[in-house]
Amino acid sequence: MALPMPRKDITKLLISTPSHFIGHYENDVFRVVVVNENLGVKSARKDERTYKQYIEVTVETPEYKKDTIVIPDYSQIGENFCIALSVLFGKVFDFHGLLQQHGWAYLPDLNSNHKIHNKNLTINSSKPRVDYEIELNLENINLIQDVLFQHGEDTIDAQSTFWYAGRFYVQSLRIVEENPELAFLSLITAGEILASYFKYDIDDLLDEDSKELLETLEKLGEEGKQLHKKVSKKLMGISESFCKFLIDCLDDEFFERTESKHDFEKLTKSDIKQRLKAAYNLRSKYVHAGTMPSGWMSVDYLNNNEEVRHGTPVLEDKDMKRTIKRSPTFIGMERIIRYSLLKFIMETNVIHEI
């Protein structure tokens, strides 16, 4: 008796994480399960730095028709799952490629199988994050499933913004241990993308002193009006929108919690705008001047999950020294961006409240 042909209406993909999950999840569209190990295979324990858990994602996809000129490729679904799960759980997820598509079998990429992860970092650990403290159980995918496959006309733009920003977020988690400055920039870019979704009025972006300055300029005749126009454009720049969006997302509960071991190394509401401006300035210095000292952006020495720096960087450039000290660490900035990503898709009704 001949064996049945592989199903052509499903796509199977492989993702992984250095964290440890339990459970599984299944609905009418997709199924997510932990991959079992072969008997006799000796793998790392979940608390070891080389530990990696593999997860199979099976998605119902349209069957390939032979009269179609271009063969559809659904591999992007795997990266979308990595983005959604990284944001939901606050953990690193990697995509290893297709296992099956259109009935054909594929060989996944396991080159990162022995990558070493710093387990002190909350993005690699097997403990839930303090914000939206979601158990590391695959059943909880139901909380974010609507962002994966629901595409209502009223939320499609918000979903596109989430995917675009989420790509930079998940990239930052993946590269931070090898390339900390680019990882930090990726977080800033994610925040910029989310902020660009909203069109803020100038009155929403400026403090009272700035508003008074503009009013004074406007009263100085034609030359004052010209200056008013130029200054307004500067003040309404991306950095102001970036700060406003993130500050609006960070409610009191965010500041009441922390992943830092010491109170003096946690983010506080009183100086958050100053710190966000410093973070954006770091981005500007790197993009426009190509300068950012990697040693001071490293996460290797943040053993207490410091969200802000307690010490002062040893640098000759006084401006850079001041900016780095004022900016959140990668750990602090990652927490801000993940929180804002979740707030964004809830506020835009892409998903329900978590």
Side-chain angles (χ1 to χ4, degrees):
M1 183 178 68
L3 293 173
M5 294 294 292
R7 286 182 58 177
K8 298 181 179 181
D9 60 342
I10 60 172
T11 296
K12 291 186 176 184
L13 315 108
L14 188 67
I15 64 177
S16 72
T17 175
S19 302
H20 181 75
F21 284 75
I22 61 172
H24 68 279
Y25 183 69
E26 183 173 4
N27 60 22
D28 293 338
V29 179
F30 65 87
R31 180 176 69 245
V32 182
V33 296
V34 173
V35 175
N36 292 317
E37 295 180 347
N38 283 303
L39 294 175
V41 174
K42 186 179 180 181
S43 59
R45 298 189 308 270
K46 64 180 181 181
D47 60 336
E48 291 183 319
R49 299 183 69 185
T50 55
Y51 176 79
K52 190 175 286 287
Q53 185 181 55
Y54 289 92
I55 297 170
E56 181 188 80
V57 178
T58 303
V59 183
E60 187 178 277
T61 49
E63 185 175 348
Y64 162 58
K65 305 296 183 184
K66 290 186 178 180
D67 57 352
T68 303
I69 297 175
V70 179
I71 301 175
D73 179 16
Y74 302 114
S75 58
Q76 180 57 41
I77 294 173
E79 188 67 5
N80 287 352
F81 267 90
C82 287
I83 294 169
L85 298 189
S86 289
V87 172
L88 178 64
F89 295 107
K91 303 296 178 183
V92 178
F93 279 86
D94 291 309
F95 175 46
H96 298 279
L98 294 163
L99 294 173
Q100 180 181 322
Q101 183 173 243
H102 307 305
W104 305 323
Y106 287 82
L107 182 67
D109 179 4
L110 300 180
N111 287 329
S112 63
N113 188 44
H114 299 293
K115 182 179 178 180
I116 295 175
H117 293 276
N118 181 352
K119 288 291 185 171
N120 287 324
L121 299 176
T122 54
I123 60 174
N124 295 328
S125 75
S126 294
K127 295 180 180 179
R129 301 296 299 273
V130 295
D131 298 312
Y132 299 103
E133 194 172 343
I134 302 165
E135 181 189 9
L136 303 191
N137 188 326
L138 295 177
E139 290 181 1
N140 288 320
I141 294 174
N142 74 300
L143 298 171
I144 205 168
Q145 64 179 350
D146 287 349
V147 80
L148 285 159
F149 293 104
Q150 296 269 343
H151 295 284
E153 289 186 10
D154 54 338
T155 62
I156 192 167
D157 288 342
Q159 280 177 288
S160 296
T161 300
F162 172 80
W163 290 127
Y164 190 26
R167 284 188 181 91
F168 285 96
Y169 172 74
V170 77
Q171 178 190 62
S172 74
L173 303 192
R174 290 169 177 169
I175 68 174
V176 65
E177 295 182 66
E178 292 80 28
N179 205 330
E181 72 276 14
L182 287 182
F184 191 87
L185 292 177
S186 293
L187 292 178
I188 303 300
T189 302
E192 282 185 296
I193 293 166
L194 294 173
S196 70
Y197 178 83
F198 302 97
K199 307 303 178 187
Y200 295 114
D201 186 85
I202 190 167
D203 287 336
D204 295 328
L205 296 177
L206 305 184
D207 56 26
E208 291 305 317
D209 289 341
S210 299
K211 290 177 184 177
E212 288 180 13
L213 170 64
L214 291 178
E215 289 175 3
T216 302
L217 287 174
E218 201 163 25
K219 294 174 182 177
L220 296 177
E222 188 60 35
E223 189 173 334
K225 288 182 179 179
Q226 292 297 321
L227 284 171
H228 176 280
K229 189 180 295 184
K230 288 182 179 179
V231 174
S232 295
K233 288 181 179 178
K234 289 286 187 183
L235 293 175
M236 287 184 67
I238 298 173
S239 63
E240 289 297 331
S241 299
F242 171 84
C243 291
K244 174 171 174 52
F245 167 74
L246 294 178
I247 290 170
D248 285 350
C249 289
L250 305 181
D251 50 26
D252 290 340
E253 291 183 358
F254 175 86
F255 294 104
E256 289 167 3
R257 294 183 292 264
T258 185
E259 290 174 329
S260 296
K261 291 183 179 179
H262 305 296
D263 284 346
F264 59 84
E265 291 173 333
K266 72 176 186 178
L267 293 162
T268 60
K269 191 173 184 178
S270 60
D271 62 357
I272 189 63
K273 185 169 185 178
Q274 176 187 349
R275 293 195 179 280
L276 290 174
K277 280 184 170 294
Y280 197 86
N281 284 341
L282 279 177
R283 174 260 185 208
S284 299
K285 288 177 184 295
Y286 187 85
V287 172
H288 299 300
T291 56
M292 184 183 286
S294 301
W296 289 103
M297 305 305 295
S298 175
V299 295
D300 291 343
Y301 311 106
L302 302 179
N303 296 319
N304 295 322
N305 282 318
E306 297 96 319
E307 296 172 349
V308 300
R309 288 173 183 81
H310 180 56
T312 301
V314 182
L315 295 167
E316 292 185 7
D317 187 329
K318 292 182 179 179
D319 184 48
M320 179 67 82
K321 180 192 297 187
R322 183 170 53 251
T323 304
I324 290 177
K325 181 172 174 58
R326 288 178 178 174
S327 170
T329 63
F330 174 87
I331 288 173
M333 201 68 218
E334 181 276 329
R335 193 174 155 232
I336 289 169
I337 295 301
R338 173 180 173 250
Y339 201 79
S340 300
L341 279 160
L342 288 171
K343 281 282 189 180
F344 176 83
I345 51 177
M346 287 188 282
E347 293 295 328
T348 54
N349 297 315
V350 176
I351 68 170
H352 302 296
E353 290 289 325
I354 293 177

